[in-house]
Amino acid sequence: MNSRTKILLIYTGGTIGMQKDLSSGALKAFNFSKLLQKIPELKQLDCEIETLSFETPIDSSDMNPSHWISIAGMIQSNYAAFDGFVVLHGSDTMSYTASALSFMFENLAKPVILTGSQLPIGDLRTDAKENLITAIQIASLQQNNNAVITEVCLYFEYKLYRGNRTTKINSENFNAFCSPNYPALVESGVHLNLKSDLFLTNDGAKDLIVHDSFDTNVVILKMFPGMSESVFSAILNIPNLKGIVLETYGAGNATTDEWFIKALTQAIANGKHIVNVTQCPTGTVNMGQYETSSILKQIGVISGKDSTTEAAITKLMFLLGQNTAPNHFKTVFETSLRGEMT
Ligand code: ASP
């Protein structure tokens, strides 16, 4: 590790920095300076660490696009002065934030690594120290004075993942995340095992661009046998609704009921963007593989391919926020922007 490597640690909240309210017994966020006192080990790292914190740290269930914009702004205004960025974040919505940040940063040439923990940093059995220390070590990796990692990642329980490929899968285990359709980029054991051929590359020739607008007139809708026409139509007719991430069955299949196809066709004709992702934890949408998805393809449903729901919904909000031209929207959505789909 380069001794002059400078890392900016951004604290947004989450369990990692929480403590028990003695009267109610509930976990709540506390002052960031106390977090640093709790980890004297950080001083042993061979890099300079500076810290920034949300004025009011939050549980990540309260995250929304304005917070993503704040995090991106903190990184943008410190981009030249630091070699890497570690964002401490609650695990509940960490995959959404990682996905959103990945779309916001165009030409990213430095690491942005999100991490957190399942147990507070002060807990005897905490997972916070390993997550935080290794995330900082990975963010510090340099080769020929260039960052080794040049993308938005998520580090948890010995694995570094591409952030927009992750999903939270466990509310109790330390192993809380997985990346169902893309392998881990780094595995931490006795040595850090870097799978460099999986990394996004960037020679830093182009300047960082930060896109900071999202359109939240969107919804995620999970198909289930028995979904009624009136409920489905009511959702499609929400005023100002611009896009839907439809979680379908298997390889992108849905009911072929006439009312369903008619309602979707009408919504698309009215300019709404319908994105098909699978509700299976692993695998890809392949419209046309079954008769039950061929019709979706014909009427112009967008394929989310093997994107996670988190990546699909943030990409939808992002592309709508960029005012992507309606006639290009499907093509742009079906193109991998930051390695979020295969
Ligand atoms: N509820 C917490 C949060 O997401 C859980 C965690 O930090 O892991 O902020």
Side-chain angles (χ1 to χ4, degrees):
M1 200 193 302
N2 185 329
S3 60
R4 286 164 300 161
T5 307
K6 287 188 76 183
I7 300 298
L8 183 63
L9 194 57
I10 299 173
Y11 179 55
T12 69
T15 300
I16 192 162
M18 288 186 183
Q19 64 183 2
K20 237 184 204 148
D21 183 306
L22 293 177
S23 51
S24 68
L27 286 173
K28 61 175 204 182
F30 75 101
N31 191 304
F32 184 59
S33 57
K34 293 192 182 158
L35 179 82
L36 288 174
Q37 283 167 21
K38 297 242 189 243
I39 330 168
E41 292 92 334
L42 286 176
K43 296 194 189 93
Q44 292 176 36
L45 287 171
D46 199 11
C47 57
E48 281 176 47
I49 302 170
E50 284 185 31
T51 58
L52 271 183
S53 172
F54 271 15
E55 212 169 314
T56 311
I58 57 168
D59 186 294
S60 78
S61 306
D62 282 325
M63 277 281 162
N64 62 47
S66 73
H67 297 108
W68 302 338
I69 292 166
S70 300
I71 299 169
M74 287 174 167
I75 293 173
Q76 183 178 27
S77 48
N78 289 285
Y79 192 70
F82 289 86
D83 300 295
F85 303 86
V86 174
V87 180
L88 299 181
H89 192 290
S91 61
D92 287 347
T93 64
M94 197 186 289
S95 295
Y96 291 90
T97 300
S99 299
L101 289 175
S102 77
F103 298 122
M104 295 174 83
F105 292 131
E106 190 175 336
N107 307 325
L108 186 67
K110 297 183 179 183
V112 174
I113 302 182
L114 282 84
T115 193
S117 65
Q118 293 281 62
L119 280 177
I121 196 92
D123 194 290
L124 212 50
R125 295 175 47 251
T126 189
D127 52 331
K129 287 190 185 178
E130 198 286 320
N131 286 346
L132 175 58
I133 289 168
T134 309
I136 294 174
Q137 281 191 318
I138 295 174
S140 307
L141 293 173
Q142 297 267 311
Q143 198 170 32
N144 305 326
N145 282 329
N146 287 320
V148 168
I149 305 287
T150 58
E151 53 184 298
V152 178
C153 295
L154 186 155
Y155 183 80
F156 226 87
E157 188 66 2
Y158 305 114
K159 290 202 173 102
L160 182 82
Y161 304 107
R162 175 165 303 152
N164 58 30
R165 289 291 194 151
T166 61
T167 192
K168 185 172 179 183
I169 46 156
N170 202 308
S171 60
E172 291 183 1
N173 283 6
F174 288 155
N175 190 4
F177 288 88
C178 78
S179 172
N181 293 317
Y182 200 73
L185 305 179
V186 177
E187 286 187 32
S188 166
V190 172
H191 302 287
L192 288 179
N193 182 0
L194 276 63
K195 315 269 173 65
S196 322
D197 50 327
L198 299 171
F199 298 177
L200 291 179
T201 50
N202 182 354
D203 61 7
K206 292 190 189 148
D207 286 345
L208 177 76
I209 301 172
V210 181
H211 303 278
D212 63 357
S213 70
F214 291 91
D215 189 326
T216 55
N217 289 298
V218 295
V219 71
I220 299 171
L221 188 51
K222 184 170 184 161
M223 298 289 310
F224 60 95
M227 183 158 63
S228 78
E229 177 177 1
S230 59
V231 168
F232 189 66
S233 302
I235 294 170
L236 253 49
N237 288 316
I238 293 169
N240 295 326
L241 184 72
K242 295 188 186 146
I244 299 178
V245 171
L246 193 64
E247 281 196 1
T248 58
Y249 312 123
N253 309 313
T255 174
T256 50
D257 278 351
E258 210 184 312
W259 61 263
F260 176 76
I261 300 300
K262 222 169 130 186
L264 274 187
T265 309
Q266 188 60 51
I268 294 169
N270 291 341
K272 294 182 173 59
H273 304 288
I274 315 290
V275 179
N276 187 350
V277 295
T278 174
Q279 54 185 254
C280 291
T282 309
T284 187
V285 159
N286 183 8
M287 286 189 285
Q289 183 178 341
Y290 290 88
E291 213 177 6
T292 44
S293 66
S294 297
I295 185 78
L296 301 180
K297 191 174 182 177
Q298 279 164 32
I299 65 174
V301 169
I302 298 168
S303 177
K305 301 183 188 175
D306 62 350
S307 302
T308 59
T309 297
E310 292 89 331
I313 193 72
T314 50
K315 188 173 180 179
L316 188 57
M317 287 191 269
F318 168 74
L319 291 179
L320 287 167
Q322 303 312 300
N323 293 320
T324 308
N327 54 337
H328 286 142
F329 200 94
K330 185 171 187 293
T331 314
V332 177
F333 200 104
E334 289 178 348
T335 306
S336 172
L337 302 179
R338 312 279 188 260
E340 73 282 6
M341 56 168 55
T342 305

